[in-house]
């Protein structure tokens, strides 16, 4: 019996991180809905930012699932997107006064979920599963 690493097995931790990222993002939208329903004034910028984060989490999860099925193109895309998302979260969280503290905490949590995913996606052992020209 050989011990061969397949994309579906290798990307399992990344898929879990991305699914958690999507769940956190969805929970944030639920919080915004409850706040709005109870009369709190939720700024449009918060709605837009949180909606975009949820949409990006879903898209990344779909791309990662395609990569787990062996798509090299999807693997390259998710590697790039994961690094960009980590950088974007750092910038967004660092802008003073842009978002309330509780939203910044949620955004930072999303970034903390993306960081290990980006690291895992850029490991040489994982990149070897998607050789150029294959």
């Amino acid at each position: 019996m050989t011990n061969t690493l397949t994309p579906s097995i290798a990307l399992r931790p990344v898929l879990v991180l991305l699914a958690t990222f999507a769940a956190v993002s969805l929970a944030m939208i639920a919080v915004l809905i409850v706040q709005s329903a109870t009369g709190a004034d939720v700024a449009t910028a918060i709605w837009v930012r949180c909606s975009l984060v949820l949409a990006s989490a879903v898209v990344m999860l779909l791309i990662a699932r395609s990569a787990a099925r062996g798509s090299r193109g999807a693997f390259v895309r998710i590697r790039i997107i994961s690094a960009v998302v980590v950088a974007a979260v750092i910038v967004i969280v660092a802008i003073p006064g842009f978002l309330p503290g509780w939203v910044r905490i949620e955004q930072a949590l999303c970034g903390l979920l993306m960081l290990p995913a980006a690291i895992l996606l850029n490991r040489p052992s994982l990149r070897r599963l998607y050789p150029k020209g294959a």
Side-chain angles (χ1 to χ4, degrees):
M1 181 174 184
T2 61
N3 185 11
T4 57
L5 189 60
T6 63
S8 63
I9 293 170
L11 284 179
R12 216 173 270 156
V14 172
L15 291 169
V16 169
L17 288 163
L18 291 174
T20 305
F21 176 30
V24 167
S25 299
L26 183 59
M28 183 59 145
I29 295 294
V31 167
L32 296 178
I33 290 169
V34 168
Q35 285 188 329
S36 293
T38 58
D41 184 27
V42 179
T44 302
I46 295 171
W47 277 106
V48 170
R49 175 71 189 151
C50 292
S51 297
L52 289 173
V53 169
L54 175 58
S56 70
V58 171
V59 168
M60 286 188 296
L61 188 54
L62 292 172
I63 294 170
R65 288 179 64 201
S66 181
R69 290 190 296 273
S71 169
R72 183 180 193 299
F75 175 69
V76 171
R77 282 189 295 279
I78 196 62
R79 280 183 60 213
I80 293 166
I81 293 169
S82 66
V84 169
V85 167
V86 170
V89 167
I90 291 169
V91 170
I92 292 295
V93 170
I95 297 172
F98 177 63
L99 298 170
W102 60 277
V103 178
R104 291 169 62 160
I105 290 168
E106 182 268 346
Q107 296 290 291
L109 175 58
C110 289
L112 288 173
L113 290 166
M114 284 307 303
L115 181 60
I119 291 169
L120 290 170
L121 287 164
N122 284 285
R123 292 185 59 155
S125 59
L126 191 54
R127 288 195 318 263
R128 279 193 291 273
L129 297 175
Y130 299 92
K132 290 181 183 178

